[in-house]
Amino acid sequence: GSLCGPVIVLKGSGFPYGLVDAAVNVTVCGVAARADLISTSEISVTLPACPDTICTTSSHSCDISVERYSTQLTKSGVVVYNKADTPTVTDISPSDAGTGGGKTITITGTSFTNQQADISVKFDGVPCTVTSASTTEIQCTTGPKADKANKDGVEVRIQESLALNPFKKTMTYMDKWSSRFTWGGDQNNKPVEGDMAVLTEGQIIYLDESPPHLRTLR
């Protein structure tokens, strides 16, 4: 794909594994990549995203370079980015779920996989457990979210490759006023007339019923 995530292993010799100043710089298509020394003969490289200014065609071959101090080794055309292989999210439904978790979310798109073990989904940093998968659809069950503030973060990874989300689809954690999860998981904490109600900054509440007349809401 043309996005970041896949890990490859470079094989060679003389890598500075075990030395105090063991750092090496690796670039792919001129873009810096994360490099971790495995041994004196292997380097683990996390491929970076291919910039749109470089990957202008459906398929693009890139050089990979390893540099240490003033010494640089380059191999030409060894990494190929294919846009058709890039997982892409086109829709997320429903677009909201309660912080208590347990809701089924359907993600549609392209270039997914039917291997559930190869898929990772997170909404706002919270894992969503994959229950079914195909090359065009993923279903997962939301997990509970302790931090009720929302950031609308969506992360879908296929074999460690971060999926593209060109339409900015989101899944927002949102609690109903009537839900016990809005009030710390205990229905007895739900405000009644004359109470002071305190909400977390960034928390989204859906008024599915008329709240009582409160002394303070903050």
Side-chain angles (χ1 to χ4, degrees):
S2 59
L3 295 184
C4 59
V7 176
I8 63 174
V9 176
L10 302 181
K11 294 182 180 294
S13 61
F15 297 145
Y17 178 77
L19 299 183
V20 174
D21 57 340
V24 292
N25 296 317
V26 176
T27 59
V28 180
C29 262
V31 180
R34 174 178 172 176
D36 297 298
L37 289 164
I38 300 175
S39 68
T40 56
S41 61
E42 292 183 326
I43 303 176
S44 172
V45 178
T46 301
L47 294 180
C50 185
D52 291 337
T53 54
I54 297 176
C55 285
T56 56
T57 60
S58 59
S59 180
H60 186 84
S61 298
C62 287
D63 299 346
I64 187 166
S65 297
V66 179
E67 181 180 3
R68 176 171 165 79
Y69 299 136
S70 59
T71 302
Q72 184 181 73
L73 174 66
T74 299
K75 298 288 286 184
S76 300
V78 293
V79 176
V80 179
Y81 286 100
N82 289 309
K83 288 189 176 181
D85 294 335
T86 304
T88 302
V89 174
T90 57
D91 195 26
I92 298 176
S93 180
S95 59
D96 62 82
T99 58
K103 191 166 188 176
T104 299
I105 304 295
T106 300
I107 304 166
T108 54
T110 58
S111 297
F112 294 161
T113 176
N114 56 10
Q115 300 298 314
Q116 295 183 34
D118 291 337
I119 302 173
S120 169
V121 178
K122 290 183 181 180
F123 295 122
D124 214 357
V126 180
C128 190
T129 304
V130 177
T131 55
S132 68
S134 70
T135 56
T136 58
E137 183 179 283
I138 299 168
Q139 286 195 334
C140 64
T141 303
T142 59
K145 187 174 187 294
D147 175 13
K148 296 185 182 298
N150 268 276
K151 305 176 186 65
D152 284 336
V154 175
E155 180 184 292
V156 179
R157 289 185 179 273
I158 310 296
Q159 294 179 333
E160 298 302 321
S161 295
L162 183 64
L164 185 66
N165 188 5
F167 305 107
K168 308 299 182 185
K169 296 296 182 178
T170 63
M171 200 297 294
T172 303
Y173 275 98
M174 177 188 304
D175 281 322
K176 296 179 180 179
W177 182 274
S178 63
S179 172
R180 62 187 176 91
F181 294 108
T182 305
W183 314 109
D186 187 346
Q187 196 70 27
N188 292 324
N189 292 334
K190 181 181 175 184
V192 297
E193 187 170 351
D195 279 354
M196 178 182 72
V198 179
L199 301 178
T200 302
E201 183 177 356
Q203 184 179 4
I204 299 176
I205 304 295
Y206 172 66
L207 296 179
D208 61 322
E209 63 182 30
S210 296
H213 183 74
L214 301 171
R215 174 166 56 88
T216 305
L217 177 63
R218 66 177 186 178

